[in-house]
C-alpha cells in the first residue's frame, strides 16, 4: 500500500464479475451445464436459437441469484424482469442475450474486504441474472485455420455483479475478488473456477491526478476485458493506471475528451492493448423479453434463501475469534479454507481443549498435507478426535515439536492413535525428576568449564549442560523439567575454579 501512496495519482477501480450459478441445467432450457462435455453436445433448439421455440425460466437459478444477492447485502425488489440485449456475434446464435436491464434482480449492496489491517466496504451497484454466450475457438497456430464455435456454454445461468468504483489499489481489487469468490463458494452459489470460466472479471480503471490549483483531473475509463486470474487483475490494473497517467502527462487536458475504450490484457508481455470504443447502452437496443413474464421474488423466497445460505465467511471469522480466542490472522486463514475445514478446526479445538494448538496444527501440518496432495480436508486421513489425541499427548508428556511431527507422520501412514504411535516409535517421555537429576549431575561432573562460566554469571553456559541431558535421553526428557533441574543443580554445585 505504501508504494501506492508515493504514486502521483489515485486509482479508481470498479470490477464487473460474471459467475456461473451452480445449477444442473441451463437458464431457459433443460440442457446440462456440466463442464468439459464434447463440443456442442449440450445443446437444444432453445439454446441454439432456432425459430419457434420458447424459453422456460430455471427457478433454481433465480433462487441461487437471490441467495447471492442477499449475501452481498443487496436490496431485492419484489418484481424483476428479463430484457433482450441485442448484438451480433458468432457465439450468440439468437442475435441477442437474455439479460436484465432496468429492473435487475438486486441492487445497492456491499461486500467488506480486508487489506492489511484495514477493513473497507466496497459498494455493489447491482447483481443481475443473464444467460451466457457460447465460446469461439480461434486457430492460434498462425496458419490461418478456421474459427470454430462451441455452444455448450450458450444459455448457462450467470450472475453479473457490478461493484462501485470504490477500489483504490490493485491489492484492494484482488482482495475484493478473493472475498467474493470465498463468499459465493461458501454459500454454494457458484464454484468460481476461473480456469473453467465460471468466474470471469472485467476491470474498469482510471486515475485521478491532483492538480496544483486544487481538485483533480480524471483520465477516461478503460475497461480491461476477460481477466482470468487474480494475478492478472492486479497486474493489469497497475499497468493500465500507469499507462493512463503517462498518456495524460503527454497529452495534457486534451486527453479528457477521448471516449471510453475497452482493452485486452496480454499476460505474457504484461501490457494492456486498447481495442475499441466502449459500447453504450443505446448500442444494445435493450427491450423487454416478450417470451418471459415478470418474476416475483416474495418474502418467502428471500427467507428461504437466507436459511439456505448458512454462515457467511465474515461472520465465521468473528465467531472463531470470539469463541476460540483466535487471532484475526488465524481466523482468516482457517475461514478461507471453507466450511468443512472450519468444522475440522472446531472439532479439533473442542476435542483437545487447546484452540491455539488446534489452530497451529490445522494451519500448518494439515494444510501442508492438503497442498502437497492437492486434496480437500474431507480426504485428510486423520480424524479430528485422533489429532486431538496427539495434542493431549503433547500436553501430558511434554513431547517436543520435532518428535510430535514424527508421531504425526506415523499416524498419517499407519492410521494409529497418537499413543500407539508414540509406543511404536519408542517415544516414551522421561518425566521423573530424580532420574533427570541423576543425568544432570553426570553432565555437571563432565563439564567443569561450563560450571565455572555459570558461576561467573554466564547464564548461557547452562545450555551445554541441557544439551548433554537431551543427548543422553535422546530428546525424550521433558524440556521444562530439564530446564528446572539444570538450574537448580548448577546453583547447588560447588564452584570448580
Ligand atoms: Zn438447450
Ligand atoms: Mn454481462
Amino acid at each position: 500500500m505504501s508504494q501506492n501512496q508515493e504514486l502521483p495519482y489515485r486509482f479508481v477501480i470498479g470490477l464487473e464479475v460474471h459467475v456461473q450459478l451452480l445449477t444442473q441445467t441451463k437458464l431457459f432450457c433443460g440442457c446440462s451445464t456440466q463442464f468439459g462435455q464434447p463440443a456442442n453436445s449440450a445443446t437444444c433448439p432453445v439454446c441454439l436459437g432456432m425459430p419457434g421455440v420458447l424459453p422456460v425460466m430455471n427457478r433454481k437459478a433465480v433462487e441461487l441469484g437471490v441467495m447471492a444477492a442477499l449475501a452481498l447485502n443487496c436490496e431485492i425488489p419484489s418484481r424483476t424482469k428479463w430484457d433482450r440485449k441485442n448484438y451480433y456475434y458468432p457465439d450468440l446464435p439468437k442475435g441477442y442475450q437474455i439479460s436484465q436491464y432496468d429492473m435487475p434482480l438486486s441492487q445497492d449492496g456491499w461486500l467488506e474486504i480486508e487489506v492489511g489491517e484495514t477493513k473497507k466496504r466496497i459498494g455493489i451497484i447491482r447483481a443481475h441474472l443473464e444467460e451466457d454466450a457460447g465460446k469461439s475457438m480461434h486457430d492460434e497456430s498462425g496458419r490461418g485455420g478456421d474459427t470454430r464455435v462451441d455452444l455448450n456454454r450458450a444459455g448457462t445461468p450467470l450472475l453479473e455483479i457490478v461493484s462501485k468504483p470504490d477500489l483504490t489499489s490493485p491489492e484492494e481489487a484482488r482482495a475484493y475478488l478473493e472475498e467474493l469468490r470465498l463468499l459465493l463458494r461458501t454459500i454454494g452459489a457458484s464454484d468460481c473456477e476461473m480456469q473453467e470460466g465460471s468466474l470471469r472479471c472485467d476491470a474498469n480503471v482510471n486515475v485521478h491526478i491532483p492538480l496544483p490549483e486544487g481538485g483533480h483531473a480524471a483520465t477516461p475509463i478503460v475497461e480491461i476485458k476477460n481477466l482470468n486470474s487474480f494475478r492478472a487483475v492486479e497486474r493489469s490494473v497497475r499497468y493500465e493506471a500507469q499507462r493512463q497517467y503517462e498518456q495524460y502527462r503527454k497529452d495534457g487536458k486534451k486527453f479528457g475528451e477521448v471516449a471510453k475504450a475497452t482493452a485486452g490484457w496480454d499476460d505474457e508481455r504484461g501490457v494492456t492493448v486498447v481495442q475499441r470504443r466502449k459500447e453504450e447502452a443505446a448500442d444494445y437496443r435493450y427491450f423487454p423479453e416478450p417470451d418471459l413474464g415478470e418474476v416475483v421474488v416474495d418474502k418467502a423466497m428471500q427467507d428461504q434463501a437466507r436459511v439456505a445460505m448458512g454462515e457467511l465467511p465474515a461472520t465465521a471469522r468473528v465467531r472463531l475469534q470470539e469463541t476460540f480466542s483466535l487471532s484475526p490472522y488465524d481466523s482468516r486463514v482457517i475461514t478461507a479454507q471453507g466450511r468443512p475445514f472450519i468444522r475440522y478446526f472446531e472439532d479439533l479445538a473442542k476435542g483437545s481443549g487447546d484452540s491455539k494448538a488446534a489452530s497451529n496444527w490445522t494451519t500448518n501440518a494439515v494444510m501442508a498435507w492438503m497442498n502437497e496432495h492437492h486434496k480437500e480436508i474431507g480426504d485428510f486421513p486423520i480424524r479430528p478426535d485422533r489429532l486431538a489425541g496427539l495434542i493431549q499427548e503433547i500436553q501430558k508428556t511434554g513431547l517436543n515439536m520435532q518428535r510430535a511431527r514424527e508421531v504425526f507422520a506415523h499416524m498419517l501412514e499407519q492410521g494409529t492413535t497418537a499413543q500407539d504411535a508414540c509406543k511404536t516409535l519408542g517415544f516414551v517421555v522421561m518425566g521423573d525428576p530424580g532420574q533427570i537429576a541423576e543425568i544432570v549431575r553426570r553432565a555437571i561432573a563432565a563439564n567443569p568449564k561450563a560450571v565455572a562460566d555459570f558461576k561467573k554469571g554466564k547464564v548461557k553456559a547452562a545450555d551445554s549442560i541441557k544439551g548433554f541431558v537431551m543427548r543422553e535421553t535422546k530428546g525424550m526428557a521433558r524440556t521444562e523439567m530439564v530446564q528446572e533441574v539444570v538450574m537448580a543443580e548448577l546453583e547447588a554445585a560447588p564452584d570448580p575454579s
Side-chain angles (χ1 to χ4, degrees):
M1 295 289 284
S2 57
Q3 94 188 86
N4 291 332
Q5 277 151 16
E6 291 153 23
L7 294 171
Y9 51 84
R10 203 172 85 94
F11 292 92
V12 184
I13 308 160
L15 295 185
E16 262 181 55
V17 174
H18 287 84
V19 294
Q20 189 182 327
L21 295 168
L22 269 179
T23 56
Q24 302 285 312
T25 54
K26 294 186 181 180
L27 189 48
F28 302 114
C29 63
C31 292
S32 164
T33 55
Q34 205 196 315
F35 181 78
Q37 300 177 88
N40 297 304
S41 66
T43 54
C44 74
V46 174
C47 55
L48 290 174
M50 299 291 188
V53 294
L54 287 173
V56 177
M57 189 189 82
N58 181 341
R59 193 176 164 82
K60 177 77 183 170
V62 180
E63 287 170 359
L64 289 174
V66 168
M67 187 167 76
L70 287 171
L72 290 165
N73 306 291
C74 287
E75 282 168 26
I76 301 191
S78 57
R79 309 179 88 79
T80 182
K81 77 166 177 36
W82 303 99
D83 298 278
R84 288 189 182 179
K85 181 180 180 179
N86 298 278
Y87 64 99
Y88 178 76
Y89 206 73
D91 63 16
L92 192 71
K94 293 198 294 288
Y96 61 84
Q97 174 192 30
I98 303 179
S99 180
Q100 300 197 285
Y101 184 50
D102 56 343
M103 287 172 63
L105 178 78
S106 69
Q107 60 212 11
D108 287 330
W110 50 266
L111 177 64
E112 190 170 77
I113 61 162
E114 231 175 298
V115 175
E117 298 292 291
T118 323
K119 285 186 182 177
K120 184 174 171 183
R121 274 186 189 184
I122 305 303
I124 307 282
I125 297 172
R126 57 189 272 159
H128 70 254
L129 295 162
E130 62 186 27
E131 59 177 344
D132 205 348
K135 203 176 167 194
S136 294
M137 294 170 295
H138 304 287
D139 176 35
E140 280 163 9
S141 68
R143 287 191 290 272
D146 293 338
T147 287
R148 292 181 294 177
V149 69
D150 177 5
L151 295 172
N152 283 351
R153 217 174 60 182
T156 56
L158 300 177
L159 187 69
E160 177 178 326
I161 303 158
V162 185
S163 88
K164 289 187 180 158
D166 289 347
L167 299 157
T168 55
S169 72
E171 293 83 359
E172 279 185 15
R174 185 187 182 126
Y176 168 84
L177 213 52
E178 283 179 339
E179 184 65 15
L180 184 63
R181 181 176 69 168
L182 176 62
L183 178 74
L184 296 175
R185 279 185 170 174
T186 299
I187 65 174
S190 174
D191 59 16
C192 295
E193 293 289 352
M194 281 185 114
Q195 296 306 315
E196 297 180 1
S198 66
L199 186 159
R200 304 196 289 272
C201 179
D202 304 331
N204 284 294
V205 184
N206 74 333
V207 297
H208 286 178
I209 300 142
L211 296 171
E213 65 266 31
H216 65 258
T219 56
I221 297 167
V222 168
E223 182 179 13
I224 314 168
K225 299 292 260 181
N226 293 322
L227 295 163
N228 59 12
S229 72
F230 291 139
R231 191 161 166 267
V233 171
E234 205 176 324
R235 286 176 73 212
S236 66
V237 163
R238 192 183 303 285
Y239 175 88
E240 175 58 22
Q242 181 66 25
R243 188 195 68 78
Q244 289 182 15
Y245 174 71
E246 281 164 19
Q247 190 81 40
Y248 170 84
R249 289 297 300 265
K250 239 191 280 170
D251 299 353
K253 293 227 166 84
K254 248 192 359 210
F255 188 50
E257 289 150 28
V258 180
K260 282 186 186 182
T262 58
W265 170 245
D266 184 330
D267 203 56
E268 229 158 86
R269 291 197 294 141
V271 299
T272 51
V273 183
V274 177
Q275 288 158 342
R276 61 182 153 92
R277 187 181 66 88
K278 191 171 151 58
E279 285 94 347
E280 303 295 334
D283 298 335
Y284 290 123
R285 294 171 292 115
Y286 278 100
F287 62 86
E289 167 59 58
D291 294 337
L292 289 163
E294 275 187 11
V295 184
V296 175
V297 181
D298 57 11
K299 191 174 170 296
M301 194 171 177
Q302 292 198 37
D303 290 345
Q304 214 174 11
R306 273 186 211 284
V307 173
M309 81 171 87
E311 185 182 47
L312 303 182
T315 318
R317 281 193 282 262
V318 173
R319 185 172 62 80
L320 291 185
Q321 287 179 47
E322 286 172 355
T323 313
F324 297 101
S325 314
L326 289 190
S327 69
Y329 178 82
D330 287 342
S331 70
R332 205 156 62 222
V333 173
I334 290 169
T335 309
Q337 296 296 317
R339 279 183 189 155
F341 194 86
I342 295 176
R343 218 153 27 233
Y344 188 99
F345 161 76
E346 287 179 278
D347 290 347
L348 184 58
K350 285 177 196 151
S352 65
D354 184 344
S355 52
K356 182 65 195 156
S359 157
N360 287 342
W361 278 98
T362 46
T363 59
N364 294 310
V366 178
M367 268 175 71
W369 181 91
M370 286 164 60
N371 290 337
E372 191 191 328
H373 296 85
H374 305 285
K375 292 249 170 90
E376 305 289 322
I377 186 68
D379 306 313
F380 184 63
I382 307 177
R383 298 322 309 149
D385 55 322
R386 284 271 168 105
L387 192 52
L390 174 56
I391 293 175
Q392 284 169 332
E393 199 63 21
I394 297 165
Q395 287 166 341
K396 212 164 63 199
T397 64
L399 194 70
N400 72 31
M401 215 44 207
Q402 193 197 325
R403 299 290 197 213
R405 284 207 194 89
E406 289 175 47
V407 175
F408 177 81
H410 189 84
M411 290 169 73
L412 261 180
E413 278 167 29
Q414 306 296 328
T416 59
T417 63
Q419 273 182 322
D420 287 347
C422 285
K423 266 187 218 135
T424 311
L425 294 169
F427 293 170
V428 180
V429 173
M430 195 185 290
D432 172 6
Q435 220 178 341
I436 292 173
E438 190 269 316
I439 302 169
V440 171
R441 282 194 288 269
R442 272 198 281 134
I444 286 175
N447 287 281
K449 168 110 171 57
V451 182
D453 287 348
F454 183 81
K455 294 290 179 188
K456 283 189 200 108
K458 282 192 199 156
V459 183
K460 269 258 168 214
D463 287 353
S464 59
I465 306 294
K466 280 181 225 159
F468 181 96
V469 178
M470 293 321 272
R471 273 194 304 279
E472 280 286 294
T473 59
K474 299 191 168 61
M476 295 312 297
R478 297 195 61 154
T479 16
E480 331 84 74
M481 198 171 280
V482 172
Q483 167 78 12
E484 244 169 67
V485 176
V486 166
M487 293 321 266
E489 290 292 329
L490 274 172
E491 296 289 354
D495 191 341
S497 58

